[in-house]
Amino acid sequence: MKFAYRFSNLLGAVYRHGNLNFSKDGNSVISSVGNRVSVFDLKNNKSETLPVSTTKNITCVALSPDGHLAVLVDEDGAAVLVSLVTRAVLHHYHFHKPVSSVRFSPDGRKFVVTKENVALLYHAPGKRREFNAFQLDKSFYGPYDETTCIDWTDDSRCFAVGSKDMSTWVFGAERWANLIYYSLGGHKDVVVGCFFEKDSLNLYTVSQDAALCVWETDSELADLKKGPRYSDRKKMGNREEGEDGENGAEVIRGSAEAPKEVEGVKNVRYKQTSKHFFNKEGDFNKLTAAAFHKHTRILVSGFASGIFHLHELPEFSLIHSLSISDQRINAVAWNSTGDWIGFGCSGMGQLLVWEWQSESYVFKQQGHFNNMATLAYSPDGQYIATGGDDGKVKVWNTNSGLCFVTFTEHTSCVTNVTFTSSGFVIVSASLDGTVRAFDLHRYRNFRTLTSPRPAQFSSLAVDGSGELVCAGAQDSFEIFLWSMQTGRLLEVLSGHEGPVSCLCFSPVRSVLASVSWDRTVRLWDMLDSWQTRETLRLSADGLAVAYRPDGEELAVATLDGELSFWNPQSAAQTGSIAGRHDLQTGRKDTDKVAAKQTAKGKSFTCLCYSADGQSILAGGQSKFVCIYSIRDQVLMKKFEISCNLSLDAMEEFLDRRKMTEFGSLSLVDEGAGDGDEVQLSLPGVKRGDMSSRRFKPEIRVSSLRFSPTGRSWAATSTEGLLIYSLDASLVFDPYDLSLDVTPVSVRRQLKRKEWASAILLAFRLNESALIREVIEAVPHDQIAVVCSLLPDVYVEKLLAFVAATLETSSHLQFYLTWAQNLLTTHGQKLKNRSAAMLPTVQSLQKSVQRHFEDLSKLCDWNVFSLRYAAALSNQRGLKRAAVHQASDEEEEASGEDALLTDPLE
């Protein structure tokens, strides 16, 4: 088996912090999630996470006007230039200071970066190859405090910068004689947004105290005149407005006084024409985000209370005011057409897109705002259920990457979730003392299972029939057994002398395996009065247990970092893997011992067999997920789930730049005098002191699951829900290759119409593009004949290829014909190898089920449309018949009148 898995998508988190952007066509919203960027396609209802990551959390994202390039900047000021076409990193750059905002000019030739109190103007990277993609053009100084926002005029001649010093500065992007810089005041709080009018120098500024200032100028954009180089003006006797900087870049230093006018040219001047105030309710309702659409002249403003206002400018007439959340609105953005507004709320991890004209949601997603604790795949691999410390159970569609239902009935942390064998029922266990069953047809909690006395459930298992539900308690050391049908408690299984950490049912027998901190694994027989069948003695406390898909092997993870494998029939240990050193745990900022020492106390906390049972996934308190070969008992590959240094315990050694003579800066209690700034964790707190203002979440993997199709696996971590998919294009894996097997020989067989021979040669090369070309060249009426000529080895490979291709191909009937003939002709032989063929069949079932759902919706819609058209045509036919009848009656009446008036005729 080749482990060509790569990161494919990030679920469970849709927005963390930073700004929002819409694509050029306005149909997609781009959001920063930790150190990654997700793109949500609002038209097709899909999400995609770019295969690009930064070293720390992303704070700023800027898109080029043509939508081909993006600049991502993280907390430290490290920037990455990304191509949105090829999804590749083009350039790395470091600004050496935290960046507050980035904005491309409308013509795409330049972009402005603001850091501290300076605005840096760069030449934007073009289509030609450049050694340095970020070339500094000018540096603008003026504000006395940190800058907050940027806006450009429509012709890219000037830009405005807002600051925390309550001022707004207008700078000329080119050497204008009558506009070098201009300072605007008028506010009493931090400037949140500054916006130019369409094709004008007139300006609107919005501050945090919910005030709007309207500024008008005495000049138009066409009145700007070219002037001398700024450094030359100094030589002409002007004040120090400009000087030469590094690498030939100009430096413009603004001051409170206006620059001296060039002879014969009058400087641009601004005046405040009006000032408006929003409805505010004290400091709690501060204005936190604003965006202005120039074509419609509508200003949207978001507040700390979750309310947003829509105003039409410059009259400042209120269009409407709504509350979309109870959390602070951190980011607001308009799409290009002005129809949709994007809102980001980092407190709850919400991302909303609102259509203001119809007052309806276009897109509404929210991740787990606390740690994600557990996950489960549906039997067909189409859905993933997750549970978090926020007490919510969410169900995600693996094809779209979006959450379509959220259950909020639990009142405490959800510790485990699982699907029943039918795939339409989700069972979850929680620390609130309940086990709940949810129906995916009606989206309701139809069963709530409780224990006779309060207990905190930390583990959960459902048998293959979906009838028996088991949950282990971490305080009473007991296992509770319920009937799903009646909801009654059937039995309380006692015997463990420590908290029950994990439960697992055998896939083929009615046997329950339970592992506990008392260093034992107990096998309970569900058919024989729930008696203990076997007791397996472990070398340390048991943390996780998993059955192989065929039920013939049991894997156990223990506290000493070992994985042990057992035969459940003979209760004999068949092997073990010492995996403690493979975890490679990092050192936390507050740790006083080295990572090598802390690694001795780390272990795997979650296990999962692959779909074919040949390998096992293991993860724990580390940034690595390890995949082991069970037969060879060796490490095959390690996956690094995150490189985000904003998380704790990421690096093995502490950064010496953070070390002082008193030790690490993280250990220095800077706020000992006042209680507001204390950031040290309380004794015994692992995930940070929630009462403190800030804490660094520690990287960890809480749950792992392999997809039943065998083509992907998922992990819940501090970053969110990570999906790793099998990428066949990365690996050249030929089968039974020889010198005469080449693409030329394959196409030669196609010309001769030797279809079966061409398929065999293509599979021996094992290139997906060539296999697809060969299969699609086979005539439709020859498929049955070709299937009967294939050897058994190639039947399995062809069926797996058809299952994978069917998911994305538009040739639906063609590939379904292949699948039908393969299963009909070789069904009995495939049934004999059902265990090995199960992932392939489940993958095929998933593809067929998805197409069935899509087509059934389309067919239903077409049926309703045809009925409506038929009813409309009948109605029109009746109207026409009535009109004809009326006209005939009128003609008869007129004829009778004519006879009466002319008796001679």
Side-chain angles (χ1 to χ4, degrees), residues 199 213 252 272 430 436 616 712 761 777 875 892:
D199 299 324
C213 291
I252 294 89
Q272 181 179 327
S430 172
R436 297 179 183 268
I616 191 168
S712 63
L761 292 176
Q875 189 175 5
E892 291 177 2

Side-chain angles (χ1 to χ4, degrees), residues 561 578-588 591 594-604 618-626 628 635 637-642 648-653 698-701:
R580 174 184 292 168
H581 300 292
D582 297 328
L583 275 171
Q584 283 190 350
T585 54
R587 180 175 179 177
K588 295 173 63 176
D591 282 347
K596 190 175 181 180
Q597 297 298 322
T598 57
K600 296 179 180 179
K602 303 292 184 180
S603 56
F604 294 116
Q621 298 168 321
S622 168
K623 63 178 179 179
F624 290 106
V625 171
C626 302
Y628 292 95
L635 176 68
K637 189 172 182 179
K638 281 202 300 188
F639 298 92
E640 186 179 9
I641 60 171
S642 177
D648 210 356
M650 285 294 297
E651 296 184 290
E652 188 175 355
F653 302 100
E698 182 182 354
I699 186 68
R700 65 175 65 230
V701 178

Side-chain angles (χ1 to χ4, degrees), residues 14-46:
V14 292
Y15 175 78
R16 292 278 171 82
H17 43 255
N19 60 323
L20 295 175
N21 289 273
F22 277 91
S23 60
K24 182 183 177 182
D25 59 3
N27 294 332
S28 300
V29 62
I30 299 169
S31 168
S32 56
V33 184
N35 67 332
R36 298 182 184 271
V37 172
S38 293
V39 181
F40 300 93
D41 189 342
L42 306 178
K43 286 287 186 182
N44 299 317
N45 199 37
K46 285 189 176 182

Side-chain angles (χ1 to χ4, degrees), residues 477-479 494-501 514-522 524 535-543 558-559:
F477 313 156
E478 294 172 330
I479 301 171
S494 302
H496 281 297
E497 299 174 0
V500 179
S501 53
S514 63
V515 65
S516 169
W517 292 8
D518 61 2
R519 301 191 176 190
T520 63
V521 175
R522 291 180 178 268
W524 310 83
T535 301
L536 313 179
R537 300 292 174 181
L538 305 175
S539 58
D541 297 3
L543 300 179
T558 52
L559 191 61

